[in-house]
Amino acid sequence: MASYLKLVRDLIPCFDKFELIQVPRVDNANADALSKLVSSKDTKLLKIIPIEHLVRPFIEAVVEVMWVEKTSTLMDPILAFLKDQSVPANREGAKKIEEESSTLRAI
């Protein structure tokens, strides 16, 4: 777990905002059941549920990152209007954006 924590701490500066929330066990039944299964000695249960033993932590694998550059899309003017009420300078474009954004709000 220390390796994973170090990886997360190293990545934090790459983000504008970062929030770490601990989920209580009662709200995360799947993880709780998995943790109990790992420490279980029930041989019948262990035969039913496949368990993979990792030779090394997954994070030590070579990580390839693909950078994606944002290109403009047809949704950009609508998103700008919904975010901060900015509209195109021409009247027709402004009216069209307002109509399309009201349709999205209805969904």
Side-chain angles (χ1 to χ4, degrees), residues 45-95:
L45 187 61
L46 293 175
K47 288 179 184 176
I48 297 170
I49 301 172
I51 297 175
E52 180 182 355
H53 295 279
L54 300 177
V55 177
R56 60 183 183 161
F58 181 73
I59 61 171
E60 290 180 10
V62 177
V63 177
E64 293 183 28
V65 177
M66 183 176 80
W67 292 99
V68 178
E69 293 184 22
K70 184 184 181 314
T71 58
S72 60
T73 68
L74 296 173
M75 290 296 295
D76 289 346
I78 298 170
L79 293 173
F81 177 76
L82 292 172
K83 185 177 177 184
D84 49 38
Q85 301 299 307
S86 64
V87 293
N90 64 8
R91 196 169 205 177
E92 297 82 22
K95 184 173 179 162

Side-chain angles (χ1 to χ4, degrees), residues 7-8 10-19:
L7 178 67
V8 169
D10 291 345
L11 289 173
I12 291 173
C14 300
F15 296 94
D16 294 334
K17 182 179 176 186
F18 175 81
E19 184 177 5

